[in-house]
PDB file of all heavy atoms in Angstrom:
ATOM      1  N   ILE K  27     165.707  46.331  52.427  1.00 98.00           N
ATOM      2  CA  ILE K  27     165.927  45.957  51.031  1.00 98.00           C
ATOM      3  C   ILE K  27     166.410  47.226  50.333  1.00 98.00           C
ATOM      4  O   ILE K  27     165.746  48.257  50.395  1.00 98.00           O
ATOM      5  CB  ILE K  27     164.623  45.490  50.356  1.00 98.00           C
ATOM      6  CG1 ILE K  27     164.015  44.301  51.101  1.00 98.00           C
ATOM      7  CG2 ILE K  27     164.875  45.162  48.899  1.00 98.00           C
ATOM      8  CD1 ILE K  27     162.596  43.989  50.661  1.00 98.00           C
ATOM      9  N   PRO K  89     168.868  41.238  35.221  1.00 91.00           N
ATOM     10  CA  PRO K  89     167.906  42.120  34.551  1.00 91.00           C
ATOM     11  C   PRO K  89     166.508  42.092  35.166  1.00 91.00           C
ATOM     12  O   PRO K  89     165.728  43.030  34.989  1.00 91.00           O
ATOM     13  CB  PRO K  89     167.886  41.594  33.107  1.00 91.00           C
ATOM     14  CG  PRO K  89     168.366  40.171  33.227  1.00 91.00           C
ATOM     15  CD  PRO K  89     169.344  40.159  34.352  1.00 91.00           C
ATOM     16  N   ILE K 105     164.700  50.785  50.587  1.00 97.00           N
ATOM     17  CA  ILE K 105     165.491  52.004  50.507  1.00 97.00           C
ATOM     18  C   ILE K 105     165.691  52.353  49.035  1.00 97.00           C
ATOM     19  O   ILE K 105     166.156  51.522  48.253  1.00 97.00           O
ATOM     20  CB  ILE K 105     166.867  51.840  51.182  1.00 97.00           C
ATOM     21  CG1 ILE K 105     166.712  51.372  52.637  1.00 97.00           C
ATOM     22  CG2 ILE K 105     167.673  53.138  51.097  1.00 97.00           C
ATOM     23  CD1 ILE K 105     166.023  52.351  53.541  1.00 97.00           C
ATOM     24  N   ALA K 119     154.841  50.429  43.497  1.00 97.00           N
ATOM     25  CA  ALA K 119     154.875  48.971  43.482  1.00 97.00           C
ATOM     26  C   ALA K 119     155.233  48.416  44.858  1.00 97.00           C
ATOM     27  O   ALA K 119     154.670  47.408  45.305  1.00 97.00           O
ATOM     28  CB  ALA K 119     155.893  48.482  42.444  1.00 97.00           C
ATOM     29  N   ASN K 122     152.179  48.753  47.114  1.00 96.00           N
ATOM     30  CA  ASN K 122     151.181  47.743  46.733  1.00 96.00           C
ATOM     31  C   ASN K 122     151.581  46.348  47.199  1.00 96.00           C
ATOM     32  O   ASN K 122     150.719  45.494  47.451  1.00 96.00           O
ATOM     33  CB  ASN K 122     150.973  47.753  45.221  1.00 96.00           C
ATOM     34  CG  ASN K 122     150.213  48.985  44.747  1.00 96.00           C
ATOM     35  OD1 ASN K 122     149.515  49.631  45.525  1.00 96.00           O
ATOM     36  ND2 ASN K 122     150.365  49.338  43.474  1.00 96.00           N
ATOM     37  N   TYR K 158     158.139  57.626  53.471  1.00 96.00           N
ATOM     38  CA  TYR K 158     158.771  58.835  53.992  1.00 96.00           C
ATOM     39  C   TYR K 158     159.934  59.238  53.110  1.00 96.00           C
ATOM     40  O   TYR K 158     160.700  58.377  52.642  1.00 96.00           O
ATOM     41  CB  TYR K 158     159.269  58.548  55.407  1.00 96.00           C
ATOM     42  CG  TYR K 158     159.442  59.766  56.286  1.00 96.00           C
ATOM     43  CD1 TYR K 158     158.362  60.592  56.594  1.00 96.00           C
ATOM     44  CD2 TYR K 158     160.680  60.072  56.834  1.00 96.00           C
ATOM     45  CE1 TYR K 158     158.517  61.694  57.419  1.00 96.00           C
ATOM     46  CE2 TYR K 158     160.846  61.177  57.663  1.00 96.00           C
ATOM     47  CZ  TYR K 158     159.757  61.983  57.947  1.00 96.00           C
ATOM     48  OH  TYR K 158     159.918  63.076  58.764  1.00 96.00           O
ATOM     49  N   LEU K 185     155.383  86.607  60.419  1.00 98.00           N
ATOM     50  CA  LEU K 185     155.904  86.646  59.058  1.00 98.00           C
ATOM     51  C   LEU K 185     155.159  87.703  58.255  1.00 98.00           C
ATOM     52  O   LEU K 185     153.920  87.722  58.231  1.00 98.00           O
ATOM     53  CB  LEU K 185     155.739  85.275  58.393  1.00 98.00           C
ATOM     54  CG  LEU K 185     156.364  85.112  56.995  1.00 98.00           C
ATOM     55  CD1 LEU K 185     157.885  85.094  57.088  1.00 98.00           C
ATOM     56  CD2 LEU K 185     155.861  83.831  56.338  1.00 98.00           C
ATOM     57  N   HIS K 201     174.894  73.948  45.205  1.00 93.00           N
ATOM     58  CA  HIS K 201     175.547  72.650  45.330  1.00 93.00           C
ATOM     59  C   HIS K 201     176.602  72.521  44.240  1.00 93.00           C
ATOM     60  O   HIS K 201     176.629  73.303  43.281  1.00 93.00           O
ATOM     61  CB  HIS K 201     174.517  71.516  45.203  1.00 93.00           C
ATOM     62  CG  HIS K 201     173.845  71.182  46.494  1.00 93.00           C
ATOM     63  ND1 HIS K 201     173.066  72.080  47.171  1.00 93.00           N
ATOM     64  CD2 HIS K 201     173.845  70.050  47.247  1.00 93.00           C
ATOM     65  CE1 HIS K 201     172.612  71.515  48.282  1.00 93.00           C
ATOM     66  NE2 HIS K 201     173.076  70.290  48.349  1.00 93.00           N
ATOM     67  N   ARG K 214     179.606  60.446  39.600  1.00 88.00           N
ATOM     68  CA  ARG K 214     178.201  60.574  39.203  1.00 88.00           C
ATOM     69  C   ARG K 214     177.957  59.813  37.899  1.00 88.00           C
ATOM     70  O   ARG K 214     178.764  59.912  36.967  1.00 88.00           O
ATOM     71  CB  ARG K 214     177.811  62.043  39.034  1.00 88.00           C
ATOM     72  CG  ARG K 214     177.931  62.854  40.311  1.00 88.00           C
ATOM     73  CD  ARG K 214     177.318  64.230  40.152  1.00 88.00           C
ATOM     74  NE  ARG K 214     177.572  65.079  41.313  1.00 88.00           N
ATOM     75  CZ  ARG K 214     176.825  65.104  42.416  1.00 88.00           C
ATOM     76  NH1 ARG K 214     175.765  64.321  42.495  1.00 88.00           N
ATOM     77  NH2 ARG K 214     177.128  65.900  43.420  1.00 88.00           N
ATOM     78  N   TYR K 224     166.866  62.708  35.870  1.00 90.00           N
ATOM     79  CA  TYR K 224     167.234  63.007  37.255  1.00 90.00           C
ATOM     80  C   TYR K 224     166.517  64.235  37.816  1.00 90.00           C
ATOM     81  O   TYR K 224     166.361  64.369  39.029  1.00 90.00           O
ATOM     82  CB  TYR K 224     168.752  63.208  37.354  1.00 90.00           C
ATOM     83  CG  TYR K 224     169.257  63.143  38.773  1.00 90.00           C
ATOM     84  CD1 TYR K 224     169.409  61.920  39.415  1.00 90.00           C
ATOM     85  CD2 TYR K 224     169.571  64.302  39.483  1.00 90.00           C
ATOM     86  CE1 TYR K 224     169.857  61.846  40.722  1.00 90.00           C
ATOM     87  CE2 TYR K 224     170.030  64.234  40.787  1.00 90.00           C
ATOM     88  CZ  TYR K 224     170.171  63.009  41.409  1.00 90.00           C
ATOM     89  OH  TYR K 224     170.603  62.950  42.708  1.00 90.00           O
ATOM     90  N   SER K 270     186.223  67.175  29.306  1.00 95.00           N
ATOM     91  CA  SER K 270     187.203  66.669  30.273  1.00 95.00           C
ATOM     92  C   SER K 270     186.632  66.649  31.685  1.00 95.00           C
ATOM     93  O   SER K 270     186.883  65.705  32.449  1.00 95.00           O
ATOM     94  CB  SER K 270     188.482  67.511  30.225  1.00 95.00           C
ATOM     95  OG  SER K 270     188.205  68.869  30.553  1.00 95.00           O
ATOM     96  N   GLY K 333     160.245  89.135  59.578  1.00 98.00           N
ATOM     97  CA  GLY K 333     159.126  89.241  60.504  1.00 98.00           C
ATOM     98  C   GLY K 333     158.805  90.682  60.811  1.00 98.00           C
ATOM     99  O   GLY K 333     159.531  91.597  60.406  1.00 98.00           O
ATOM    100  N   SER K 336     161.771  91.413  63.470  1.00 98.00           N
ATOM    101  CA  SER K 336     163.177  91.168  63.122  1.00 98.00           C
ATOM    102  C   SER K 336     163.282  90.305  61.870  1.00 98.00           C
ATOM    103  O   SER K 336     162.274  89.786  61.373  1.00 98.00           O
ATOM    104  CB  SER K 336     163.893  90.466  64.287  1.00 98.00           C
ATOM    105  OG  SER K 336     163.408  89.137  64.435  1.00 98.00           O
ATOM    106  N   ALA K 364     164.482  90.086  74.362  1.00 98.00           N
ATOM    107  CA  ALA K 364     163.723  88.839  74.217  1.00 98.00           C
ATOM    108  C   ALA K 364     164.631  87.706  73.742  1.00 98.00           C
ATOM    109  O   ALA K 364     164.474  86.546  74.144  1.00 98.00           O
ATOM    110  CB  ALA K 364     162.569  89.043  73.237  1.00 98.00           C
ATOM    111  N   GLN K 373     169.031  76.726  77.124  1.00 97.00           N
ATOM    112  CA  GLN K 373     170.178  76.064  77.751  1.00 97.00           C
ATOM    113  C   GLN K 373     169.888  74.614  78.130  1.00 97.00           C
ATOM    114  O   GLN K 373     170.794  73.779  78.149  1.00 97.00           O
ATOM    115  CB  GLN K 373     170.635  76.848  78.983  1.00 97.00           C
ATOM    116  CG  GLN K 373     171.196  78.230  78.684  1.00 97.00           C
ATOM    117  CD  GLN K 373     172.368  78.199  77.719  1.00 97.00           C
ATOM    118  OE1 GLN K 373     173.306  77.423  77.887  1.00 97.00           O
ATOM    119  NE2 GLN K 373     172.299  79.037  76.687  1.00 97.00           N
ATOM    120  N   ASP K 385     176.011  95.719  66.771  1.00 92.00           N
ATOM    121  CA  ASP K 385     175.469  96.847  65.999  1.00 92.00           C
ATOM    122  C   ASP K 385     174.233  96.484  65.165  1.00 92.00           C
ATOM    123  O   ASP K 385     174.298  96.375  63.938  1.00 92.00           O
ATOM    124  CB  ASP K 385     176.563  97.421  65.084  1.00 92.00           C
ATOM    125  CG  ASP K 385     176.146  98.760  64.456  1.00 92.00           C
ATOM    126  OD1 ASP K 385     175.284  99.440  65.042  1.00 92.00           O
ATOM    127  OD2 ASP K 385     176.680  99.093  63.369  1.00 92.00           O
ATOM    128  N   GLU K 401     176.324  64.146  56.471  1.00 87.00           N
ATOM    129  CA  GLU K 401     176.269  62.690  56.308  1.00 87.00           C
ATOM    130  C   GLU K 401     175.615  62.018  57.514  1.00 87.00           C
ATOM    131  O   GLU K 401     174.934  60.999  57.381  1.00 87.00           O
ATOM    132  CB  GLU K 401     177.676  62.146  56.075  1.00 87.00           C
ATOM    133  CG  GLU K 401     178.273  62.593  54.746  1.00 87.00           C
ATOM    134  CD  GLU K 401     179.689  62.099  54.536  1.00 87.00           C
ATOM    135  OE1 GLU K 401     180.100  61.176  55.284  1.00 87.00           O
ATOM    136  OE2 GLU K 401     180.380  62.621  53.654  1.00 87.00           O
ATOM    137  N   ASP K 402     175.818  62.588  58.703  1.00 90.00           N
ATOM    138  CA  ASP K 402     175.239  61.996  59.911  1.00 90.00           C
ATOM    139  C   ASP K 402     173.741  62.266  60.037  1.00 90.00           C
ATOM    140  O   ASP K 402     173.052  61.582  60.802  1.00 90.00           O
ATOM    141  CB  ASP K 402     175.968  62.530  61.151  1.00 90.00           C
ATOM    142  CG  ASP K 402     177.407  62.053  61.214  1.00 90.00           C
ATOM    143  OD1 ASP K 402     177.659  60.896  60.830  1.00 90.00           O
ATOM    144  OD2 ASP K 402     178.281  62.836  61.615  1.00 90.00           O
ATOM    145  N   PHE K 411     162.347  57.589  61.106  1.00 96.00           N
ATOM    146  CA  PHE K 411     161.543  56.701  60.276  1.00 96.00           C
ATOM    147  C   PHE K 411     161.222  55.407  61.019  1.00 96.00           C
ATOM    148  O   PHE K 411     160.089  54.926  60.999  1.00 96.00           O
ATOM    149  CB  PHE K 411     162.291  56.409  58.976  1.00 96.00           C
ATOM    150  CG  PHE K 411     161.676  55.334  58.123  1.00 96.00           C
ATOM    151  CD1 PHE K 411     160.592  55.600  57.311  1.00 96.00           C
ATOM    152  CD2 PHE K 411     162.204  54.046  58.138  1.00 96.00           C
ATOM    153  CE1 PHE K 411     160.028  54.605  56.519  1.00 96.00           C
ATOM    154  CE2 PHE K 411     161.644  53.050  57.351  1.00 96.00           C
ATOM    155  CZ  PHE K 411     160.554  53.336  56.546  1.00 96.00           C
ATOM    156  N   LYS K 416     157.332  51.795  64.068  1.00 92.00           N
ATOM    157  CA  LYS K 416     156.779  51.141  65.258  1.00 92.00           C
ATOM    158  C   LYS K 416     155.333  51.564  65.490  1.00 92.00           C
ATOM    159  O   LYS K 416     154.519  50.790  65.971  1.00 92.00           O
ATOM    160  CB  LYS K 416     157.620  51.495  66.489  1.00 92.00           C
ATOM    161  CG  LYS K 416     159.034  50.945  66.454  1.00 92.00           C
ATOM    162  CD  LYS K 416     159.845  51.472  67.631  1.00 92.00           C
ATOM    163  CE  LYS K 416     161.313  51.086  67.532  1.00 92.00           C
ATOM    164  NZ  LYS K 416     162.130  51.715  68.605  1.00 92.00           N
ATOM    165  N   ALA K 419     150.741  55.632  63.190  1.00 87.00           N
ATOM    166  CA  ALA K 419     149.821  56.717  63.542  1.00 87.00           C
ATOM    167  C   ALA K 419     150.539  57.906  64.172  1.00 87.00           C
ATOM    168  O   ALA K 419     149.970  58.993  64.277  1.00 87.00           O
ATOM    169  CB  ALA K 419     148.744  56.201  64.491  1.00 87.00           C
TER     170      ALA K 419
END
Side-chain angles (χ1 to χ4, degrees):
I27 302 168
I105 305 295
N122 288 339
Y158 203 61
L185 186 70
H201 274 63
R214 298 189 187 274
Y224 196 77
S270 61
S336 69
Q373 294 303 311
D385 191 24
E401 293 178 15
D402 293 323
F411 171 80
K416 294 174 187 174

